[in-house]
Amino acid sequence: HDALTGLPNRVLFEDRLQQAIARAERKGVTLAVLFLDMDNFKHINDSLGHQVGDSFLKVIAGRLQEACRDEDTVARLGGDEFVILLTEYSERINVVEVTRRLLEILGAPLTLENHNMNPAASIGITVFPEDGKDAQGLMKNADLAMYKAKAMGKGTYSLFNQDMNDQVKKRMELESRLLNSLLNE
């Protein structure tokens, strides 16, 4: 478990995700992985100090736990990154509704040590089995979708699509060709 928030850590989350995938395959149901990053958290830590930042993360962890069902898993990966496993959802629209509710709950103003804050999060969503067949693929694709949400202006969500993978591959190929070109000059 994460020492600060008491939430499951990455290792425990990945174990639960692998178990959930096996159950989903047996039952023929879907599950979703939500990769969540708190927007502007670095500013809180840098301007108000790590003690306030830690308190902020504890509040966010509590809000996430309260917003999710008992059968779902909320974990802290590190820093201001959280991940949520939503089990047995029948349609993407249900996952989107949950995500919108999470953004609303997370975005509620809070006051810590006389500092008023308006938190916001960017969330990337993947759905099993469409967006990945294993824990690693689902996590990677949810992370890509989260970065897409940040690029869209933060405080929002993005569903994973294959174009995101294609764009990353193209960017990596371009970077590789540029590096090779520089090395060969």
Side-chain angles (χ1 to χ4, degrees):
H1 285 81
D2 174 61
L4 178 66
T5 63
L7 293 174
N9 62 16
R10 178 185 299 272
V11 173
L12 180 53
F13 178 82
E14 289 176 355
D15 182 60
R16 288 186 181 174
L17 178 55
Q18 289 172 352
Q19 290 176 24
I21 289 170
R23 263 192 319 277
E25 287 175 331
R26 279 193 313 272
K27 291 182 167 184
V29 297
T30 62
L31 59 86
V33 174
L34 280 59
F35 200 105
L36 184 147
D37 185 81
M38 296 308 298
D39 298 330
N40 304 316
F41 176 70
K42 184 176 177 356
H43 176 71
I44 293 170
N45 258 352
D46 291 349
S47 62
L48 303 177
H50 291 279
Q51 183 175 341
V52 175
D54 287 351
S55 296
F56 176 83
L57 292 173
K58 289 177 188 177
V59 169
I60 295 304
R63 287 181 178 185
L64 289 171
Q65 283 184 296
E66 289 176 21
C68 291
R69 304 171 304 173
D70 290 339
E71 58 267 30
D72 298 329
T73 299
V74 177
R76 179 173 176 232
L77 299 181
D80 62 336
E81 291 183 334
F82 296 86
V83 65
I84 302 169
L85 168 61
L86 302 175
T87 56
E88 297 189 29
Y89 276 87
S90 58
E91 296 180 26
R92 280 183 187 260
I93 190 70
N94 295 340
V95 174
V96 169
E97 288 171 9
V98 169
T99 303
R100 286 181 179 150
R101 190 179 84 235
L102 283 171
L103 287 170
E104 185 178 313
I105 290 167
L106 290 172
L110 67 102
T111 302
L112 293 171
E113 297 185 21
N114 297 319
H115 300 285
N116 296 324
M117 299 177 196
N118 292 302
S122 296
I123 302 176
I125 304 168
T126 52
V127 175
F128 172 85
E130 296 87 5
D131 301 330
K133 303 289 186 208
D134 59 24
Q136 182 181 359
L138 287 167
M139 292 282 290
K140 177 184 75 74
N141 292 341
D143 190 30
L144 282 174
M146 184 272 300
Y147 280 105
K148 174 71 172 182
K150 280 203 176 288
M152 292 168 31
K154 302 181 182 180
T156 191
Y157 67 91
S158 176
L159 291 158
F160 173 80
N161 64 53
Q162 190 56 44
D163 289 344
M164 293 175 187
N165 260 339
D166 296 341
Q167 290 171 357
V168 168
K169 287 177 186 174
K170 286 178 185 176
R171 187 177 73 235
M172 287 177 64
E173 288 172 9
L174 178 61
E175 288 174 1
S176 176
R177 281 186 274 168
L178 287 170
L179 180 60
N180 286 335
S181 176
L182 289 171
L183 293 173
N184 291 330
E185 285 188 11

